[in-house]
Amino acid sequence: MHSDKDLPSNQRTMEENNIIALIKNTTLKKNYDNISRTESYHSYYIRNPEIRWAFLASMVSRNAGYCMTDLKGTWFQKMINKKMIKALFLTYEDANWLIFSDAYPQLMLYEISKQKGHPLFHLLDEFHVSPFMKRVWQIFWRKKNIGHLMTSLIINEQHLIQKPIIEKAIFKGKVFHTPLFLFQDLFHFSTVVFPTIEGRLFGFSVYDFKKLKSRIKLGRSLSWLLFHPDYYQEFMDFSERTVHTGSRYDYEKYLIDGRKRETPYLRTSFPMISHQLDVKERNWFHGQSMNKWYRPLPSPKEFEMTEWLIKKQNQMHAFSLLNEYIHNKGKRSKD
């Protein structure tokens, strides 16, 4: 019987070394792109429904895909240049790649622990997982507090991306301080959507995305909504019946106003990216108190957003046409 006591890596058993190699190889393979990440989270949740964060991660990952293909869609092409498109894409891609590279080994280690009948969380160090999450998994193994684990994974992932993605100079300058990002933030164009096959859209807007507090609150609100007893089955039906292509058309085809495709498939839009991120940058936990992140939130009142979202999209379309008109007029006056 294993304990959670740490052992130096050179004292690992052959079985433990095999588990470590399996997890590293599987994570690398499944972290290929947004499509593979989304599918991996979803299939993991189906196998391990007590790990609710995996379903949340799959639905949020769908939205990351929508944001990526928006950049190559009809409307954004009228508003932003190729350099900006690349910078925005890399922001989404790097953040989601980093979260998966940290979270999926945790998920796999739990699943293998379950199969073997004893905890293997002492191996989390091999994957540079924060001591915060190591402790959370040890508690979950004993107490099976499903909500606490989901909230902890939300807290962990948002702390994880704060320094290497949100605060990193290249992204700050090229993305988070640009007029387009501030425009999206101000007018709530950035929204996480949970669609249904009946053509209804639920979710919340991302406001003040740069702030850790805002993103954790958003994640917790989304988890509340996703597992709401009145809506959970509708979201699950959409997820089960709708293949994720990365395009918003995945859900727009269900809308009653008969939309035509305006964003392409993700895999025809962007190349595979090779990621380089220093392991040291993952180390966010230094023993600080985390209690404030678990404080109860008031239940959101407004979360069905079908009409609101269609109206916002129409505003964005009008803005992009105006932008195109001004740009073309400026070019003609120069000629």
Side-chain angles (χ1 to χ4, degrees):
M1 184 83 171
H2 286 257
S3 74
D4 272 344
K5 198 167 69 180
D6 295 337
L7 279 173
S9 53
N10 62 355
Q11 290 180 35
R12 303 273 188 233
T13 66
M14 177 73 82
E15 184 187 41
E16 287 174 334
N17 286 332
N18 288 340
I19 288 167
I20 291 162
L22 173 70
I23 291 174
K24 284 182 176 175
N25 290 335
T26 306
T27 302
L28 197 63
K29 196 170 82 176
K30 291 180 181 290
N31 207 356
Y32 176 80
D33 66 3
N34 173 266
I35 306 287
S36 59
R37 287 189 284 268
T38 304
E39 289 170 351
S40 300
Y41 285 136
H42 178 78
S43 58
Y44 182 92
Y45 174 69
I46 299 304
R47 297 193 308 271
N48 304 279
E50 69 276 24
I51 310 300
R52 291 182 165 191
W53 181 86
F55 186 32
L56 175 66
S58 78
M59 294 298 276
V60 173
S61 184
R62 279 182 182 260
N63 279 266
Y66 304 152
C67 292
M68 289 172 180
T69 58
D70 280 350
L71 299 169
K72 291 289 183 88
T74 308
W75 301 100
F76 271 70
Q77 297 269 336
K78 297 177 190 295
M79 289 192 290
I80 48 180
N81 60 37
K82 286 180 179 175
K83 208 171 171 185
M84 188 65 187
I85 286 171
K86 188 179 178 186
L88 281 162
F89 167 69
L90 286 174
T91 304
Y92 290 123
E93 174 61 21
D94 277 356
N96 286 274
W97 175 88
L98 179 55
I99 288 168
F100 190 92
S101 69
D102 181 75
Y104 206 72
Q106 297 179 52
L107 302 183
M108 279 192 74
L109 206 47
Y110 167 74
E111 190 170 34
I112 294 167
S113 296
K114 207 165 71 164
Q115 289 160 2
K116 299 207 171 287
H118 57 79
L120 293 161
F121 304 124
H122 58 290
L123 300 181
L124 285 171
D125 292 343
E126 293 288 336
F127 307 98
H128 310 286
V129 172
S130 69
F132 165 71
M133 278 313 302
K134 190 174 171 185
R135 179 85 182 120
V136 166
W137 280 109
Q138 289 164 345
I139 293 167
F140 178 73
W141 185 261
R142 295 195 305 272
K143 298 191 174 177
K144 297 292 183 282
N145 186 330
I146 289 170
H148 182 266
L149 177 68
M150 180 163 62
T151 300
S152 301
L153 281 160
I154 292 166
I155 292 164
N156 178 65
E157 68 175 77
Q158 294 307 331
H159 276 87
L160 181 74
I161 65 169
Q162 184 65 24
K163 275 198 165 57
I165 307 292
I166 308 298
E167 292 177 14
K168 202 169 184 181
I170 183 167
F171 290 124
K172 265 172 88 172
K174 284 191 178 169
V175 175
F176 297 118
H177 290 169
T178 59
L180 178 73
F181 189 84
L182 297 173
F183 166 80
Q184 284 202 185
D185 214 19
L186 190 62
F187 291 100
H188 299 272
F189 282 112
S190 299
T191 304
V192 178
V193 180
F194 294 160
T196 72
I197 53 176
E198 285 78 34
R200 295 165 79 198
L201 304 173
F202 298 82
F204 300 102
S205 286
V206 185
Y207 182 69
D208 222 353
F209 187 83
K210 296 187 293 296
K211 288 188 179 166
L212 182 64
K213 181 180 169 185
S214 302
R215 296 196 313 278
I216 290 174
K217 185 186 175 191
L218 173 70
R220 292 182 66 194
S221 299
L222 289 168
S223 68
W224 171 87
L225 174 60
L226 188 62
F227 291 95
H228 193 292
D230 293 346
Y231 307 107
Y232 167 77
Q233 197 53 54
E234 290 189 63
F235 301 142
M236 179 51 77
D237 289 346
F238 171 83
S239 186
E240 289 274 77
R241 291 172 57 176
T242 311
V243 173
H244 177 58
T245 72
S247 170
R248 282 193 192 274
Y249 191 67
D250 290 356
Y251 70 78
E252 288 177 341
K253 64 188 176 188
Y254 297 117
L255 298 178
I256 52 168
D257 61 355
R259 299 253 157 160
K260 65 179 194 293
R261 177 183 293 282
E262 292 176 331
T263 55
Y265 298 118
L266 187 125
R267 283 183 172 162
T268 62
S269 306
F270 295 102
M272 189 207 163
I273 301 298
S274 178
H275 297 267
Q276 307 293 329
L277 193 70
D278 192 339
V279 164
K280 293 191 205 81
E281 294 194 60
R282 296 169 186 246
N283 187 19
W284 65 266
F285 183 70
H286 309 288
Q288 65 268 40
S289 171
M290 304 303 290
N291 293 342
K292 68 176 179 179
W293 302 114
Y294 293 95
R295 285 179 195 143
L297 294 173
S299 296
K301 300 281 187 286
E302 301 279 318
F303 45 85
E304 178 163 2
M305 50 194 345
T306 316
E307 286 179 28
W308 181 88
L309 200 62
I310 289 168
K311 186 174 140 195
K312 282 288 169 194
Q313 277 196 326
N314 291 338
Q315 285 176 358
M316 195 265 280
H317 296 170
F319 177 81
S320 70
L321 289 171
L322 177 65
N323 189 68
E324 185 183 46
Y325 170 75
I326 292 166
H327 179 71
N328 291 339
K329 195 176 175 187
K331 268 172 73 177
R332 281 198 300 271
S333 65
K334 280 179 187 172
D335 296 343

